[in-house]
Amino acid sequence: MDTTIKILEKVMDICAYRQKILASNIANADTPGYKAKDINFQEELKRAFENDTETYKVIEASTTMPNRDGNTVNIEVEMTKLAETMLMYNTATQLISTRIRMLKDAIKGGR
């Protein structure tokens, strides 16, 4: 498989996984004692290439001070992370589409 496509596929997989974690954080914004979770994107991407693994290490997200009920979810921070993740996913999608189009053009002889 094309190396570029493989890299972009892993980026999309990690983004999709991170999006699930962030959605869970938002869903639990009012749950007493809930600790916000996240993954370290760069470390997970590096680990995915070194070990060719599809399991990710979930960490407790660094955040501002917890609420009085012990909940550490900050909606504004989570929404920012979610937008950032969606932007990375969409960029990877556009790049993989461009790469596939280039391969199709090369197969057709540039026509």
Side-chain angles (χ1 to χ4, degrees), residues 38-105:
D38 201 353
I39 59 173
N40 184 323
F41 185 85
Q42 291 178 341
E43 280 185 24
E44 294 306 322
L45 187 60
K46 182 180 174 187
R47 218 166 53 89
F49 283 109
E50 290 174 352
N51 303 330
D52 199 26
T53 182
E54 293 186 11
T55 59
Y56 307 110
K57 181 181 174 188
V58 178
I59 58 174
E60 189 172 312
S62 58
T63 184
T64 56
M65 296 206 29
N67 297 338
R68 281 187 274 167
D69 62 4
N71 187 309
T72 61
V73 176
N74 181 325
I75 289 293
E76 289 82 20
V77 170
E78 299 302 319
M79 294 301 287
T80 302
K81 288 179 181 178
L82 194 60
E84 174 188 69
T85 303
M86 286 175 40
L87 190 61
M88 281 195 290
Y89 186 90
N90 289 340
T91 301
T93 302
Q94 289 175 349
L95 290 173
I96 205 166
S97 294
T98 301
R99 184 68 179 166
I100 289 172
R101 192 174 336 116
M102 289 171 59
L103 290 172
K104 283 182 178 178
D105 287 346

